[in-house]
Structures are given as C-alpha cells and as structure tokens.
Amino acid sequence: MVLSLALLLPTLARAAQRFPQTTLDPQSDYAGLIQRLLVDLVFWVVLILVVVEGVLIVTVLRFRARPGAPQPKAVHGNTALEIAWTIAPALILAAIAVPTVSTIFRTQSPAPAGALAVRVVAHQWWWEFRYPRLGVVTANELHVPVGRPVELTLESADVIHSFWVPAIGGKRDVVPAHLNRLWFTPRTTGTFPGQCAEMCGISHANMRMTLVVEPPTDFEHWVTLQRSPPAEPAADSAAVRGREMFENVGCAACHTVRGVSAGVLGPDLTHLASRSSIAGAVYPNTPEMLGKWIEDPPARKPGTQMPKLGLQPGQITDLVAYLRSLR
Ligand code: CUA
C-alpha cells in the first residue's frame, strides 16, 4: 500500500502536465531537489500513517471490552514506554529535518561561476528583465539557455512582489530596498508560465510572466536580436506615422525604444514585437489586442499606470503598425 501510494506521485506529476503551473513537474535542478524532498517525505509520512493506524485498528479489535474480561493492566509510569515514545518522534523529526535543511543549504548556496546574470525588477504590475553583461532589457518574457545556471537578482521598484515560475522552483519574495537572489539550472527546453505570488495591489493577478528555456544557439540568436537597434519603418508607411504619434502623444515619456525615446516608467518596447504577450503577459501580442490595450488600458488591466489617451481609431491603427514593426 505504501509502495502504491509512493508510485502514485509520479503518476500525479504526469497528469499534472496538463496544468502548466503545477509544482509537481520540475524542469530545473532547483525544482528537482524540492520534488525529491517532497517524494521522500511523503513516502515516510505515509509509512508512519499506515503503521500507526494499523496498530490502532489491531488494538481496537483485539483489546476491546468483552463481557467478563478482567481490567486491563495500567501502563501509567512505564519508564520504558515513556522513553520509547519520546525518542521515536524525535528521531522522526530529525529524519525530516536533515534532508530539509540540507536541501535549503544546497538551493541557497552561491550560484556557480559563469551563471547567466539577470536583474529582475518587479513593478506594479509587470516584470522587467535586464541582462547586465549582455546589454539586453526586456519585459515579462525571460529567455534563458537550457543547461546553463541562471542567477536572478530580484529587486522591486515599488511594493513587495514574489517571483514564481513553478516549473523551475519555489517562490522568492521581491522586496523594496533589498536584494534577493535565486539561481537554477533549467534542464528542459520549453515555455513555462509564472506569476507574482505576493498580493501587491489591484492587478496582482495580472502580473504574469513567461519563462522561455531554449537551446543555446536560439538564445544567442535572441540576444543578438534584442541588442540590435529597432527596425526602421518604411517611408510613408502607417508605422512612420505611428512613430511620430509615439513621440508626440505621450508614449515616449514612459517607454524606451532605443534611439527613439528613453522613458523608464513602463516596459522597454525596443523589440516589443518579438514578445508573445503584452500588459504583464496577460494578453497575447496580436495587432487586435494591442489596439484594444492602447485604446483603454485601465479597462483591460485595473490600476495600470498606462493612461487612456483618447486616441482615434486611425491613430491607434498607426501606433499598432509602428509597435508591430519593432521586431
Ligand atoms: Cu506583484 Cu503580486
């Protein structure tokens, strides 16, 4: 029975693949260590449950009161028993504490040399990712190569948030005026969703992100693209009119498009069109959704600092054409 319960865990994990934010399907060494600990502890906990409940059931059946049976012998003050049931739980607690503490030390140790450094800045309500050694700045979509350790330095621009991509491991709080760290080595390629896990205001639930783990060559390709200057829109196109609008209606005050504007309140848009989502990974990055978003941001995401600019449909079309040109 214990064995079948222990065997159930991997089965649950497989079933959980249909649920992208499951914690039972580890995709990094860090998440793997946590999973190992969970599986081991569940095994021992189930074993204890079965033994204790088994003894209880046998006792109830075998020693239940029968007519004419003598009074049972009192065990009060039995030194051997007292010592036994004091030491046994202490041993059990030690057996839980040793692997737990050792896992904490392993996952909290300094990142290996050569880890990919990423500065994560949490904002109400989006994620900024800066790669200081690569000169890349992006938002809501964290790209990392498979197999290489990644060290995240977590900081907040405003309130307390929590960085959480379940596939790569546990949550880590992102606290203002304090640096937290988290490192992991992704072991499978894929796209894994994550989100803020600390109540941080009205759009806390709209503070999501995507982790993209890719082969090293794809990652290098992505870095090259992100470092390149933004695409130059064709002369006389809607995108050119859109760029003028971008500079004049207020977008430029909050957003950076390298070489065009230098706002820092909102996400860097230099390569917006290369990202799969917008608005804190809440909406897909399609022309239609981009238009709806620009038309009335607070209606799409409560509390967002991005204001409704009251643009005409034609102006929105031009702006979307420009933003879509930022590949
Ligand atoms: Cu940020 Cu919740």
Side-chain angles (χ1 to χ4, degrees):
M1 183 188 174
V2 175
L3 195 67
S4 61
L5 277 169
L7 288 174
L8 195 63
L9 261 175
T11 314
L12 277 176
R14 268 196 299 279
Q17 279 173 358
R18 293 190 290 121
F19 305 100
Q21 296 221 121
T22 177
T23 53
L24 296 176
D25 189 20
Q27 304 292 338
S28 79
D29 58 339
Y30 173 36
L33 285 170
I34 297 172
Q35 175 88 341
R36 183 75 256 152
L37 187 62
L38 174 74
V39 170
D40 287 352
L41 289 189
V42 166
F43 175 82
W44 291 111
V45 165
V46 169
L47 184 67
I48 290 167
L49 177 84
V50 168
V51 169
V52 169
E53 292 306 307
V55 169
L56 180 71
I57 290 167
V58 167
T59 309
V60 165
L61 293 178
R62 214 176 138 192
F63 301 106
R64 69 182 186 275
R66 291 187 176 84
Q71 281 286 319
K73 212 167 66 182
V75 291
H76 180 75
N78 186 321
T79 313
L81 263 182
E82 298 270 359
I83 290 174
W85 64 48
T86 304
I87 288 180
L91 288 178
I92 292 169
L93 286 181
I96 292 172
V98 168
T100 304
V101 171
S102 122
T103 302
I104 291 173
F105 272 89
R106 283 176 74 182
T107 56
Q108 304 285 321
S109 60
L116 172 70
V118 184
R119 250 180 83 197
V120 178
V121 188
H123 299 256
Q124 281 175 313
W125 290 276
W126 57 283
W127 297 94
E128 183 177 5
F129 300 118
R130 310 181 74 98
Y131 299 67
R133 280 176 226 150
L134 302 176
V136 170
V137 180
T138 186
N140 304 319
E141 203 172 283
L142 175 61
H143 284 246
V144 297
V146 70
R148 178 174 171 193
V150 179
E151 185 181 28
L152 306 180
T153 311
L154 304 154
E155 53 191 285
S156 170
D158 36 55
V159 300
I160 301 177
H161 304 269
S162 181
F163 181 94
W164 189 37
V165 178
I168 57 146
K171 301 161 187 168
R172 192 70 39 97
D173 273 2
V174 187
V175 182
H178 179 83
L179 280 189
N180 266 347
R181 282 167 207 284
L182 171 67
W183 74 268
F184 60 94
T185 309
R187 57 188 189 194
T188 32
T189 54
T191 301
F192 309 104
Q195 66 180 72
C196 180
E198 179 72 58
M199 177 62 191
C200 58
I202 190 168
S203 264
H204 156 66
N206 298 323
M207 185 167 171
R208 304 184 202 166
M209 68 188 117
T210 308
L211 171 70
V212 181
V213 180
E214 50 201 355
T217 45
D218 289 12
F219 176 71
E220 277 161 34
H221 183 80
W222 177 83
V223 169
T224 308
L225 174 79
Q226 299 296 315
R227 287 166 64 114
S228 63
E232 185 64 29
D236 281 337
S237 62
V240 167
R241 293 194 299 276
R243 183 169 64 186
E244 257 167 51
M245 199 110 55
F246 182 89
E247 291 176 274
N248 297 322
V249 297
C251 315
C254 295
H255 294 282
T256 290
V257 171
R258 250 179 295 134
V260 176
S261 65
V264 292
L265 276 183
D268 187 305
L269 302 180
T270 307
H271 292 287
L272 173 68
S274 74
R275 306 205 277 262
S276 60
S277 62
I278 55 168
V282 172
Y283 295 114
N285 188 3
T286 59
E288 191 201 1
M289 212 47 242
L290 205 49
K292 286 183 177 171
W293 169 247
I294 293 167
E295 184 192 7
D296 190 353
R300 305 272 162 210
K301 186 168 176 180
T304 179
Q305 290 189 53
M306 180 151 152
K308 182 179 178 177
L309 293 170
L311 300 174
Q312 299 305 310
Q315 295 178 301
I316 292 175
T317 309
D318 290 348
L319 253 184
V320 168
Y322 173 54
L323 295 173
R324 296 294 296 176
S325 79
L326 297 172
R327 302 223 145 258

